[in-house]
Amino acid sequence: MKKIIFVGGKGGVGKTTCASTLAFKYSKKEKVLLVSTDPAHSTGDLFDIEIKKKDEKFRYSKNLDILEIDGEKEAELYISNIQKQCNLMLSPVIMGEIKGQLKRAKNSPGTHESAIFEKINKIILKNQEYDYIIFDTAPTGHTLRLIKLPKTINIWMDTLIKKRKKILMLKNMKFDRRDRISDDKVLSLLESRRDDLLKIYKILSDSNKVSFYFVMNPDKLSFLETKRGVESLREFGIGVDKIIINKLYPDSIDPFWQEQKYKQEEFIKLIVDEFKDKNVLTIPYLEKENQEILEEIGKII
Ligand SMILES: Nc1ncnc2c1ncn2[C@@H]1O[C@H](COP(=O)(O)OP(=O)(O)OP(=O)(O)O)[C@@H](O)[C@H]1O
Ligand SMILES: [Mg+2]
């Protein structure tokens, strides 16, 4: 594994287009897995394919596999897994009480993001044979704080593991049994969770391996959102490698549109100044067909 690239940004700015372009470009020489979280099927459109099954790799070419994931389904799975794990550990009375809360949690935006992040982690751990894994979404700093706290997580998980071992030993003693502690489901769940968290922490905190690209359009809302996104990542010590300003107005013979273009250019100067420590790229609005878009944008990013 050489690199994991997260392509983030506001809805509709061009994340899927940029992520697909990068995947297409790198797959000319190296092995790439493109992971799409796009509900609008833009990935399929760009590559002129129909991806029928979510959560199953689609082999586009010798070097490029595409995996679409379904955010809704992941959120459901995430909650039902938590429920299953709680069932293992908690009494039916307590379970009855938290069932309603779990149901409500399913629809909160935080759950959706955590579920996708959990899925991203699984995909990274399972697909280490690729040179590149490119995601057309990026976790926020808020979500990443979980893996940025390995020490806390480690201490917390180790305490839970020790406690569980103690309970099992006491149970064995009390009932004069010789059950193998390592056969305990709760214990293996805790241990595998801790091991995965440590592995993913090691990968994601390696700034040589992980890149964050932010896509934006040259408008105020997109700019503010990007600023917030970059700041939230910075808070957790994560840098953004590239800022891509997408869909710039072309030159126009119409005076109104040419005026808009000049205004946009002024605004772009502001953006470049704000992100002067970063690599800022611009992509024009292209009136082209899918495959041509991939080739054309590939020359820029
Ligand atoms: N440079 C460009 N020139 C012309 N059209 C573009 C360009 N970049 C993106 N588009 C078009 O804009 C639309 C949105 O792009 P895309 O699907 O890549 O955005 P997104 O950020 O992934 O959106 P979402 O948040 O909905 O997933 C698509 O129809 C795409 O073809
Ligand atoms: Mg998209």
Side-chain angles (χ1 to χ4, degrees):
M1 159 76 58
K2 278 191 190 152
K3 205 139 207 152
I4 296 163
I5 302 176
F6 292 107
V7 182
K10 202 166 85 62
V13 289
K15 298 178 294 293
T16 302
T17 307
C18 290
S20 303
T21 301
L22 288 169
F24 184 64
K25 181 170 154 173
Y26 291 138
S27 70
K28 289 182 179 166
K29 289 198 179 131
E30 287 164 293
K31 242 180 119 44
V32 181
L33 175 63
L34 170 65
V35 185
S36 157
T37 55
D38 200 51
H41 308 292
S42 311
T43 320
D45 292 346
L46 276 165
F47 288 99
D48 273 328
I49 50 171
E50 195 186 342
I51 302 171
K52 289 206 179 102
K53 285 194 178 157
K54 300 254 179 192
D55 216 14
E56 237 175 66
K57 283 183 201 167
F58 181 100
R59 167 122 322 162
Y60 177 74
S61 67
K62 186 173 103 292
N63 275 345
L64 176 57
D65 287 336
I66 302 172
L67 180 68
E68 270 200 350
I69 54 177
D70 179 342
E72 275 300 310
K73 211 186 92 205
E74 289 308 324
E76 269 168 35
L77 261 173
Y78 182 70
I79 293 289
S80 83
N81 274 341
I82 293 180
Q83 202 161 342
K84 267 188 218 148
Q85 290 169 5
C86 289
N87 266 332
L88 269 178
M89 298 182 223
L90 305 173
S91 73
V93 180
I94 296 178
M95 269 318 285
E97 278 171 23
I98 64 167
K99 237 180 190 157
Q101 287 179 29
L102 284 174
K103 223 178 190 175
R104 278 192 293 281
K106 204 191 92 191
N107 298 318
S108 86
T111 304
H112 204 268
E113 214 195 336
S114 303
I116 298 275
F117 187 53
E118 180 100 354
K119 182 71 182 174
I120 286 175
N121 290 347
K122 273 193 197 141
I123 292 172
I124 293 173
L125 291 177
K126 255 204 229 156
N127 290 286
Q128 290 287 304
E129 71 276 21
Y130 289 90
D131 296 305
Y132 288 87
I133 305 182
I134 301 175
F135 292 93
D136 82 356
T137 183
T140 58
H142 181 70
T143 312
L144 283 165
R145 86 194 185 288
L146 271 176
I147 59 123
K148 277 281 162 186
L149 294 169
K151 273 197 192 136
T152 324
I153 287 173
N154 214 2
I155 294 169
W156 180 58
M157 293 296 274
D158 274 344
T159 312
L160 285 178
I161 289 167
K162 269 189 207 142
K163 281 206 166 133
R164 184 71 193 169
K165 280 184 179 162
K166 208 167 168 184
I167 291 171
L168 293 170
M169 275 182 344
L170 288 173
K171 250 190 186 168
N172 269 352
M173 269 160 59
K174 185 171 174 198
F175 299 108
D176 197 21
R177 289 208 313 240
R178 299 269 172 278
D179 293 353
R180 280 216 327 241
I181 287 180
S182 56
D183 288 344
D184 180 61
K185 271 192 190 155
V186 176
L187 189 64
S188 32
L189 194 78
L190 289 170
E191 282 176 338
S192 78
R193 182 107 185 113
R194 178 198 55 192
D195 295 348
D196 279 356
L197 278 169
L198 287 176
K199 269 188 232 153
I200 202 74
Y201 166 73
K202 223 172 146 196
I203 297 171
L204 291 188
S205 59
D206 182 349
S207 54
N208 291 320
K209 268 210 172 132
V210 182
S211 282
F212 278 80
Y213 293 6
F214 256 97
V215 186
M216 63 182 291
N217 296 147
D219 60 62
K220 202 167 172 189
L221 273 183
S222 185
F223 172 59
L224 292 175
E225 172 118 358
T226 307
K227 232 174 111 177
R228 267 200 303 273
V230 171
E231 274 160 17
S232 101
L233 286 175
R234 191 189 300 133
E235 269 177 44
F236 295 98
I238 294 161
V240 170
D241 305 81
K242 277 184 193 171
I243 305 268
I244 300 165
I245 314 175
N246 187 26
K247 300 189 196 174
L248 267 61
Y249 292 143
D251 276 319
S252 172
I253 46 164
D254 183 321
F256 173 79
W257 284 112
Q258 192 57 32
E259 180 65 25
Q260 300 306 311
K261 185 182 156 70
Y262 289 144
K263 279 190 190 152
Q264 206 180 51
E265 277 168 359
E266 284 304 308
F267 193 57
I268 290 167
K269 275 189 203 148
L270 268 176
I271 302 172
V272 173
D273 191 51
E274 171 71 30
F275 300 118
K276 53 179 166 300
D277 57 330
K278 310 207 181 311
N279 188 357
V280 182
L281 308 170
T282 54
I283 301 175
Y285 190 92
L286 299 164
E287 301 252 14
K288 297 206 165 159
E289 284 306 308
N290 307 334
Q291 200 78 14
E292 275 180 298
I293 281 200
L294 293 178
E295 291 283 358
E296 209 51 43
I297 297 181
K299 290 178 198 156
I300 307 170
I301 59 177

